[in-house]
Amino acid sequence: DVKVTQSSRYLVKRTGEKVFLECVQDMDHENMFWYRQDPGLGLRLIYFSYDVKMKEKGDIPEGYSVSREKKERFSLILESASTNQTSMYLCASSLWDGYTFGSGTRLTVV
Amino acid sequence: QQQVKQSPQSLIVQKGGISIINCAYENTAFDYFPWYQQFPGKGPALLIAIRPDVSEKKEGRFTISFNKSAKQFSLHIMDSQPGDSATYFCAASPSGSRLTFGEGTQLTVNP
């Protein structure tokens, strides 16, 4: 089974901090994705990547950036955390259509 | 154009009943329609998926019904069990492309 591992389950950060969320997958998938999950809004795509060094903006990229230096690792960066970025962040990977998600990181910005 | 609208937002069903969750889409380029199931503290997991060349797909107690002309698809859970209590997301994409998710439905199955 493909495993997608997110480095932290819970994070509490202060407003203005730079925050790194890490995601690693172990099945050589080309595609990786970052979503945020908020009640009533479903899963909204922040950024995605179809290859190493490649990145594409999703639907809500403002305030975020990403890094993919190695195929298995996709990092989400909050340049200057704000309270409206308090959310559940989900990483996913795929080879084609079926996504495998990590367990999520619940980020609270205070 | 990219939206997927899901309803209801929450659903309460008695054990043994049928749970029905509906989704509608606009983008005619969508040709892959999965459903994901999410338990508390876990990421979503692929439950069942359909492509528009068939109108229905069944896997155990879970069935997807697909209406291409209406641009709608739905998830039916037969003989619903308390263990089915979870959040369900529909999604859609052009094949091999990024998924667009619905808003989610929180299903509660009472014993």
Side-chain angles (χ1 to χ4, degrees), chain A residues 69-86:
Chain A
E69 296 295 320
K70 293 185 178 181
K71 192 175 187 178
E72 66 271 17
R73 186 180 296 271
F74 193 35
S75 302
L76 180 69
I77 304 158
L78 285 67
E79 297 291 342
S80 177
S82 64
T83 54
N84 63 13
Q85 292 178 310
T86 291

Side-chain angles (χ1 to χ4, degrees), chain A residues 9 31 33 35 37-43 45 48 50 57-59 90 96-104, chain B residues 2 9 32 34 36 38 41-46 51 87 89 93-104:
Chain A
R9 291 299 304 273
N31 310 322
F33 308 85
Y35 286 85
Q37 180 178 3
D38 300 288
L41 297 177
L43 305 177
L45 183 63
F48 60 104
Y50 288 150
K57 292 181 179 179
D59 299 318
L90 289 163
W96 188 245
D97 282 330
Y99 284 21
T100 299
F101 282 89
S103 294
Chain B
Q2 290 291 330
Q9 189 171 1
Y32 174 68
Y36 282 79
Q38 184 182 30
K42 301 287 187 183
L46 180 63
R51 297 190 187 275
T87 301
F89 293 97
S93 74
S95 187
S97 186
R98 45 171 285 192
L99 283 172
T100 298
F101 285 85
E103 298 90 340

Side-chain angles (χ1 to χ4, degrees), chain A:
Chain A
D1 278 353
V2 177
K3 191 171 182 182
V4 177
T5 303
Q6 294 184 233
S7 55
S8 304
R9 291 299 304 273
Y10 300 94
L11 276 178
V12 180
K13 297 292 182 180
R14 295 196 179 277
T15 300
E17 274 193 77
K18 191 169 186 176
V19 181
F20 293 85
L21 302 183
E22 306 289 341
C23 175
V24 177
Q25 52 96 2
D26 66 359
M27 278 297 288
D28 203 35
H29 282 179
E30 303 288 340
N31 310 322
M32 297 190 75
F33 308 85
W34 274 106
Y35 286 85
R36 65 177 281 177
Q37 180 178 3
D38 300 288
L41 297 177
L43 305 177
R44 294 181 291 165
L45 183 63
I46 305 171
Y47 267 96
F48 60 104
S49 170
Y50 288 150
D51 201 353
V52 177
K53 306 276 186 181
M54 176 268 182
K55 59 185 178 184
E56 292 278 351
K57 292 181 179 179
D59 299 318
I60 52 164
E62 296 77 20
Y64 303 94
S65 63
V66 290
S67 172
R68 193 167 182 198
E69 296 295 320
K70 293 185 178 181
K71 192 175 187 178
E72 66 271 17
R73 186 180 296 271
F74 193 35
S75 302
L76 180 69
I77 304 158
L78 285 67
E79 297 291 342
S80 177
S82 64
T83 54
N84 63 13
Q85 292 178 310
T86 291
S87 187
M88 170 69 82
Y89 290 88
L90 289 163
C91 175
S93 74
S94 76
L95 193 58
W96 188 245
D97 282 330
Y99 284 21
T100 299
F101 282 89
S103 294
T105 296
R106 184 163 293 281
L107 173 67
T108 302
V109 182
V110 298

